[in-house]
Amino acid sequence: MSDTNEEYIPALSYRFLTPFYDFIQKYIVRDVRYKSLLIDQADIRVGQSVLDLGCGTGTLAIMVKQLHPGAEVTGLDADPDMLKVARYKSAREITPVTFDTGMTYDLPYPEESFDRILSSIMIHHLKTPDKKRTAHEVFRVLKPGGQLHIVDFGKPVTWYGKILGPFLHGFEEANDNIEGSLPKFFGEPGLKTQVLGNFWTFFGDLAFLRGDKAAR
């Protein structure tokens, strides 16, 4: 079981901003749009087990369950305040999702537990060693033939993103993302990774990453 007393960066960097997280995500970052694209990319099937890695307030996990009621959906996050909101939203929406507390780089699940692992705007919070540890944990808990799908800050492709790039280098731990290192990090344990597209936001360019674990 993960030790959630370990250091982590809260969403929006500061805990006092947590109550404003959903508002900023919905109206400034347009999260419903890129999360919908991520879910489409994941091609989730009936009966599959899905993990939302760093689920925050549960928006992505709840969307997955609403769009794919035949899937078993779990959300994991280190922040208990975020998880309180996630559980409230799940109950309000009458959408059954399991929410667990834990660190992405020390997942509290057995090997080969999930068919799909999704993550939305979370990986950039992690320090470089923890990104690499998370990549190994993702590989461990994915079933053979399973897939990883991430949307997060990526190597800038628009003129706006290229202007913001130097500033994002100092934002949380986003330097690895801006340098385009995520495909390499998640490919090192054995996933076949590729960047499938990009999405413009006020805060910079996002990239859609897919990683495939070989079937037996």
Side-chain angles (χ1 to χ4, degrees):
M1 177 66 70
S2 303
D3 179 4
T4 54
N5 289 322
E6 295 184 65
E7 180 183 359
Y8 65 91
I9 300 173
L12 303 179
S13 299
Y14 301 100
R15 190 170 298 282
F16 74 86
L17 292 175
T18 295
F20 306 102
Y21 179 80
D22 278 346
F23 178 87
I24 292 171
Q25 289 290 312
K26 183 175 181 179
Y27 294 106
I28 299 179
V29 188
R30 300 182 294 152
D31 71 328
V32 171
R33 178 59 180 154
Y34 64 71
K35 286 173 180 173
S36 296
L37 293 171
L38 185 69
I39 294 170
D40 289 344
Q41 176 182 303
D43 190 26
I44 297 164
R45 309 295 178 87
V46 173
Q48 288 187 328
S49 53
V50 181
L51 175 64
D52 179 3
L53 193 67
C55 64
T57 61
T59 300
L60 177 62
I62 292 168
M63 288 174 64
V64 170
K65 186 64 177 179
Q66 289 172 335
L67 291 168
H68 301 281
E72 181 181 343
V73 182
T74 301
L76 175 132
D77 203 274
D79 190 331
D81 292 332
M82 286 289 196
L83 289 174
K84 287 178 184 177
V85 177
R87 293 182 180 114
Y88 169 78
K89 288 163 61 176
S90 176
R92 183 189 64 196
E93 301 285 337
I94 317 178
T95 305
V97 174
T98 300
F99 290 105
D100 296 328
T101 306
M103 307 298 286
T104 63
Y105 46 78
D106 186 16
L107 295 174
Y109 308 112
E111 294 182 4
E112 302 181 0
S113 293
F114 297 99
D115 299 285
R116 298 286 188 271
I117 297 179
L118 279 62
S119 182
S120 170
I121 316 297
M122 185 284 300
I123 299 299
H124 72 275
H125 286 281
L126 302 174
K127 297 177 181 178
T128 300
D130 292 335
K131 289 185 179 79
K132 294 181 177 181
R133 290 169 64 191
T134 295
H136 283 271
E137 280 292 88
V138 164
F139 186 82
R140 180 182 68 81
V141 303
L142 266 179
K143 296 178 182 180
Q147 299 172 7
L148 167 70
H149 295 274
I150 293 173
V151 61
D152 210 312
F153 291 110
K155 190 172 184 178
V157 295
T158 66
W159 65 267
Y160 180 79
K162 291 175 182 178
I163 290 173
L164 283 183
F167 298 98
L168 286 173
H169 257 275
F171 175 65
E172 296 176 349
E173 302 294 332
N175 54 308
D176 295 318
N177 296 56
I178 304 306
E179 292 168 3
S181 298
L182 293 193
K184 176 185 175 182
F185 289 171
F186 284 90
E188 285 175 349
L191 296 180
K192 181 180 179 181
T193 60
Q194 54 183 322
V195 175
L196 298 181
N198 302 92
F199 187 89
W200 179 89
T201 75
F202 176 79
F203 294 106
D205 294 341
L206 305 182
F208 289 91
L209 173 69
R210 171 173 172 163
D212 291 84
K213 185 172 182 177
R216 286 206 181 100

